[in-house]
Amino acid sequence: MFLPKYPDSPTPPPAHPHTVADQVSARRPVPQISVSTGAAAAVLVGGVVLTALLAAVALTAVSAAVTAVVLRSLLRDQHRR
């Protein structure tokens, strides 16, 4: 019921004669990619800025965690008295 239905006589793939000329024409020229100095500098500066932002976020998270632990300790000591 759910089996696929195949054609009775499948068409054969087209026959192409393989010649040496086909192999030579198959090579494509490689596109030239040039990176300017300005683009490289922009990528470098962007990486430095993103790294600095990541370090700032990590430092802020650590500072907030230390502050929370200290405040928790101080409040716990006040409740014991």
Side-chain angles (χ1 to χ4, degrees), residues 6-77:
Y6 297 107
D8 293 334
S9 60
T11 57
H16 294 290
H18 187 64
T19 61
V20 177
D22 287 343
Q23 290 178 352
V24 175
S25 65
R27 288 186 63 192
R28 296 182 196 162
V30 178
Q32 295 295 325
I33 299 174
S34 62
V35 179
S36 66
T37 307
V43 169
L44 184 65
V45 169
V48 168
V49 168
L50 288 176
T51 303
L53 286 173
L54 182 63
V57 168
L59 185 64
T60 303
V62 169
S63 298
V66 169
T67 304
V69 169
V70 169
L71 285 175
R72 182 177 161 194
S73 174
L74 289 174
L75 290 174
R76 187 178 51 185
D77 287 343

